[in-house]
Amino acid sequence: MRLSQFMLTCAATWFYSGRTTKAPGTMGSLAAVPVGWAIAVLLGYPALLAGIVIVFLVGIPISHKYSEMIGVHDPGEIVIDEVAGQWLCILVVPLGNGLADLGWLAAAFVMFRFFDILKPWPIRWIDRRISGGFGIMLDDILAGIFGMFVLIAARYFAGV
């Protein structure tokens, strides 16, 4: 494998977390959580938002090129899209409170995976009709946004 293919594979599969044989999207999301948490706690929410934008923008050509490289449209092993969506959910949870972070991070993980797997309208519509790297990335961004709304509501009702 050439260096460029290796780097493309590392990025598209989020350091090979998406190359697992079972539940690659879940594994990619799980691998994204500690990185998103670290960015938010150490650098702040604006840095996490910047990270989301960067991952989304670089994820479009990366996922498109990787998909072409292996000859499969939107293969499950591409999980850079899960990273951006998962980080969106982390963006709205309260962090920096020690062990309480674990509960909110778990909720962010579950909410993102719920909407990414269920794919309610318009996520499913986008997943089926928009192709290429943009389509691969966009449906997970919407799943992250749906998860954000649920987490915002949970924070409101929890008084946090």
Side-chain angles (χ1 to χ4, degrees):
M1 179 182 288
R2 294 189 336 248
L3 181 60
S4 60
Q5 289 175 318
F6 173 74
M7 291 175 58
L8 181 62
T9 301
C10 278
T13 64
W14 194 247
F15 307 100
Y16 285 78
S17 64
R19 299 287 297 266
T20 59
T21 55
K22 301 217 186 221
T26 299
M27 293 298 114
S29 294
L30 195 57
V33 169
V35 178
W37 170 83
I39 293 169
V41 170
L42 299 174
L43 303 174
Y45 289 110
L48 182 59
L49 180 58
I52 294 164
V53 171
I54 291 166
V55 168
F56 176 72
L57 292 176
V58 301
I60 294 169
I62 285 171
S63 58
H64 182 78
K65 287 179 184 178
Y66 185 81
S67 181
E68 283 183 340
M69 183 178 84
I70 66 169
V72 178
H73 169 70
D74 198 2
E77 64 196 64
I78 294 177
V79 294
I80 193 169
D81 51 338
E82 269 80 6
V83 174
Q86 185 64 69
W87 286 1
L88 277 169
C89 288
I90 294 172
L91 190 63
V92 297
V93 299
L95 298 174
N97 301 308
L99 287 177
D101 286 4
L102 294 177
W104 283 108
L105 288 171
F109 175 77
V110 168
M111 284 298 96
F112 172 69
R113 292 307 302 148
F114 176 78
F115 288 111
D116 189 34
I117 293 167
L118 185 65
K119 293 193 186 313
W121 188 90
I123 299 169
R124 184 173 306 278
W125 185 88
I126 286 169
D127 185 50
R128 291 181 177 168
R129 288 186 175 75
I130 300 177
S131 61
F134 185 69
I136 291 170
M137 296 298 295
L138 187 59
D139 70 307
D140 286 65
I141 291 296
L142 284 178
I145 291 170
F146 277 46
M148 286 174 73
F149 285 129
V150 172
L151 292 162
I152 290 167
R155 283 187 68 174
Y156 175 78
F157 288 111
V160 179

